[in-house]
Amino acid sequence: LRVEGTFLDCAQVLRLGITLSAAAAVVEIIRGSEQFTALNRLSSGVEPLSHIIKEIERIIDDRGNMRDNASPELAAVRREIRQSEGQVSKRLHSVLQSAKSAGIVDADAAISIREGRAVMPVAAANKRKLQGFIHDESATGKTFYVEPVEVVELNNRLKGLEYTERREVVKVLTAFADILRDDIEAVARAGEYVATIDMIRAKARWAAENDAVQPIVSDGELWLVKARHPLLAQTLKRNGRELIPLDARLDKQSRILVISGPNAGGKSVCLKTFGIIQYMFQCGFPVTVAQSTELPV
């Protein structure tokens, strides 16, 4: 959107509104509490952008469609479209009834849409008996979809109105993009903020579900207390089995650990537990250990 003339489509504008509303709501909750000091610092540069949220709510509904009253011109053209659709439907049903009476189309035939045009299904043997334009045929070739000549002009007018509507929608979206462009850096910050909060919340939920903690950061010493491989712990828990935790210690003097024993004795599990816990710790995740565990970087 930093480029002049670019715009978001309606679905993107809806998602933007949801994201900005989420950011504003989270900031309000965090700033209203004195206990979240670190999150307060994280939230300090995030603006509520309420004027953008209000503009989105004004032009886009909760299903991602542009509202009729997004502009006077859009309201007028959509009114004309509804009137034209009514005229096409009325005329087409009249032609359909006449064609049924004449035996040109089946008694249970119904109007359908082909290539954006309202058409009637006509048996191949009768296609020349109905004046109009053929737009499609069935896979078997036994049915042709004909636009009766009586509605061609009405359909042309309707098509023209739909193009006008599309141009007006783009015009409204472009005008909204111009408003958004003035606050583009603040919008980007809000997006990053929501992503960061989402990540923190996901980590916290994962930690609560897996009894994970924030270990002590050591200076070169690795001391695992009641360490558990998180995936193994989840699998055993689902099967109603208990995991035996692991204790181990390495430091600058005792830097090597030799693991020996029979097959299925747990050597691989031990190595993998060391690896995944150290890796998760260095990625900033809470880890499945006792609180007194010490881990180096």
Side-chain angles (χ1 to χ4, degrees), residues 20-147:
L20 294 181
S21 296
V26 172
V27 167
E28 188 177 355
I29 291 166
I30 289 170
R31 288 181 183 170
S33 173
E34 295 179 1
Q35 60 179 319
F36 305 131
T37 52
L39 288 175
N40 256 306
R41 285 196 300 273
L42 185 68
S43 307
S44 61
V46 182
E47 300 171 36
L49 300 172
S50 53
H51 63 292
I52 292 176
I53 296 170
K54 284 179 183 175
E55 183 63 12
I56 291 172
E57 290 171 348
R58 187 186 74 80
I59 64 173
I60 303 291
D61 66 21
D62 54 8
R63 289 174 296 181
N65 299 315
M66 185 166 287
R67 298 183 189 274
D68 288 359
N69 59 358
S71 76
E73 294 79 8
L74 185 61
V77 74
R78 284 186 173 174
R79 204 160 40 242
E80 280 192 73
I81 286 172
R82 285 191 288 271
Q83 290 170 356
S84 292
E85 284 174 341
Q87 290 171 353
V88 169
S89 179
K90 189 175 178 182
R91 184 73 62 85
L92 202 53
H93 276 95
S94 174
V95 174
L96 182 62
Q97 290 305 320
S98 299
K100 283 181 180 180
S101 301
I104 297 172
V105 300
D106 293 339
D108 59 350
I111 294 164
S112 62
I113 303 296
R114 289 292 187 277
E115 299 177 0
R117 316 283 286 197
V119 295
M120 289 165 35
V122 181
N126 295 329
K127 66 178 181 179
R128 298 192 186 280
K129 294 180 182 178
L130 184 71
Q131 284 190 314
F133 297 91
I134 297 172
H135 284 280
D136 199 3
E137 66 175 314
S138 65
T140 60
K142 292 180 180 179
T143 304
F144 285 79
Y145 294 93
V146 180
E147 179 186 18

Side-chain angles (χ1 to χ4, degrees), residues 128-294:
R128 298 192 186 280
K129 294 180 182 178
L130 184 71
Q131 284 190 314
F133 297 91
I134 297 172
H135 284 280
D136 199 3
E137 66 175 314
S138 65
T140 60
K142 292 180 180 179
T143 304
F144 285 79
Y145 294 93
V146 180
E147 179 186 18
V149 71
E150 292 91 336
V151 297
V152 169
E153 195 54 48
L154 287 172
N155 269 335
N156 285 343
R157 182 172 182 275
L158 182 58
K159 204 72 177 172
L161 287 170
E162 288 171 355
Y163 287 135
T164 303
E165 178 197 21
R166 210 169 301 161
R167 285 194 297 272
E168 189 56 35
V169 166
V170 169
K171 189 175 168 184
V172 172
L173 292 173
T174 304
F176 171 70
D178 291 340
I179 295 170
L180 200 58
R181 197 169 287 114
D182 293 336
D183 293 292
I184 200 73
E185 300 303 333
V187 170
R189 279 196 301 274
E192 288 295 326
Y193 174 76
V194 170
T196 302
I197 290 292
D198 189 50
M199 176 192 65
I200 291 169
R201 182 170 176 267
K203 282 190 195 179
R205 285 182 62 185
W206 189 88
E209 289 166 8
N210 293 274
D211 297 322
V213 299
Q214 181 180 320
I216 299 164
V217 181
S218 73
D219 182 24
E221 184 173 74
L222 187 150
W223 187 5
L224 293 179
V225 182
K226 294 185 178 177
R228 306 172 312 280
H229 191 295
L231 300 180
L232 180 60
Q234 288 173 1
T235 302
L236 292 178
K237 187 177 180 180
R238 280 196 300 270
N239 296 331
R241 295 168 62 193
E242 189 179 350
L243 182 143
I244 300 170
L246 170 72
D247 292 350
R249 187 167 190 168
L250 291 172
D251 54 35
K252 291 179 181 178
Q253 283 73 43
S254 306
R255 295 182 295 109
I256 297 171
L257 179 67
V258 178
I259 304 175
S260 180
N263 287 341
K267 298 187 297 297
S268 295
V269 171
C270 179
L271 291 169
K272 288 180 178 181
T273 301
F274 264 87
I276 197 167
I277 284 177
Q278 182 65 31
Y279 187 62
M280 287 172 63
F281 166 67
Q282 296 204 183
C283 288
F285 276 88
V287 288
T288 47
V289 294
Q291 192 77 58
S292 55
T293 289
E294 297 184 27

